[in-house]
């Protein structure tokens, strides 16, 4: 079996364990491309992240597509990636594209607002949205307000902190008061290249089932 097939199998087994088999969701990946991430783009770590998250989209999304954004103080909405064209995606679609702003400073609200716009204005749908948000620290404080306002939408935000930052703002997003529903989770990983697929997928899918239940109960999901 290919690596992507093995990862899809691992995700499938975990979905059965968490009673998520049959759940359909649109899946998006947001990648920090600020200056401190340069090494992880150049050494292949980000490409590996894309491939690992793609396995989740293959099991959740009805067309097997993973929507992708990158951001620093600007953002780019990229072509979706599938298991047919993921090889070399980071090099060809991100690093090799001069139109994409790279290695600047953080501004999370801009990209988050575009995500909400895509799934609620441009492509409105009752299908839940599962966003995996990769960041290595330095999140701006207004992100809290953006996340709070987004709680009324059928979007769950799974924030993943990579590296050794203190993740002060990210760690607060999981427990923000004033939201109609808890629409986010956060966990840190010191080195994302050393965590197994099983561990990563288990962490990524830990709170999504709880949100599905709560969002349905208050009418955000049908």
């Amino acid at each position: 079996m290919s690596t992507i097939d093995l990862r899809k199998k691992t995700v499938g087994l975990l979905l059965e364990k968490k009673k998520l088999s049959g759940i359909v969701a649109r899946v998006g990946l947001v990648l920090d491309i600020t200056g401190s991430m340069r090494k992880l783009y150049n050494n292949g770590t980000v490409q590996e992240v894309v491939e690992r998250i793609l396995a989740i989209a293959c099991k959740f999304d009805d067309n097997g597509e993973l929507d992708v954004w990158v951001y620093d103080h600007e953002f780019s909405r990229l072509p979706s990636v599938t298991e047919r064209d993921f090889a070399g995606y980071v090099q060809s679609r991100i690093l090799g594209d001069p139109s994409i702003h790279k290695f600047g400073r953080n501004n999370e609200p801009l990209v988050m607002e575009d995500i909400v716009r895509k799934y609620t204005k441009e492509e409105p749908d009752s299908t839940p949205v599962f966003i995996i948000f990769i960041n290595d620290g330095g999140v701006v404080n207004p992100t809290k307000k953006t996340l709070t306002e987004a709680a009324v939408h059928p979007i769950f935000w799974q924030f993943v902190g990579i590296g050794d930052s203190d993740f002060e703002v990210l760690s607060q997003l999981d427990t923000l008061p004033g939201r109609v529903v808890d629409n986010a989770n956060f966990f840190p990983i010191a080195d994302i290249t050393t965590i197994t697929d099983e561990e990563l997928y288990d962490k990524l899918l830990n709170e999504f089932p709880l949100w599905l239940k709560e969002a349905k109960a208050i009418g955000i999901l049908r």
Side-chain angles (χ1 to χ4, degrees), residues 100-143:
I100 293 175
H101 202 275
K102 308 173 183 72
F103 310 127
R105 62 186 185 279
N106 291 72
N107 190 350
E108 287 73 23
L110 280 181
V111 68
M112 293 175 70
E113 289 163 5
D114 188 62
I115 290 165
V116 172
R117 185 162 49 244
K118 172 182 170 66
Y119 293 120
T120 66
K121 303 295 185 183
E122 298 173 15
E123 303 172 14
D125 196 319
S126 58
T127 307
V129 179
F130 184 38
I131 297 294
I132 299 167
F133 202 113
I134 307 295
N135 172 275
D136 73 341
V139 173
V140 297
N141 210 53
T143 303

Side-chain angles (χ1 to χ4, degrees), residues 33 90 92 103 132 152 156 163-164 211:
I33 197 167
V90 168
S92 62
F103 310 127
I132 299 167
V152 299
F156 182 78
D164 57 2
W211 172 81

Side-chain angles (χ1 to χ4, degrees), residues 15 31 42 55 57 60 76-77 95 103 115 130 133 167 213 219:
L15 294 180
L31 296 166
N42 291 335
F60 267 147
S76 295
R77 191 193 300 183
L95 296 179
F103 310 127
I115 290 165
F130 184 38
F133 202 113
F167 301 116
K213 182 177 180 180

Side-chain angles (χ1 to χ4, degrees), residues 6 17 24 50 52 66 120 123 125 150 152-153 181 208 215 222:
L6 289 170
K17 177 183 175 182
V24 176
V50 171
R52 295 174 88 172
L66 175 63
T120 66
E123 303 172 14
D125 196 319
V152 299
H153 300 301
V181 67
F208 183 55
R222 296 176 186 172

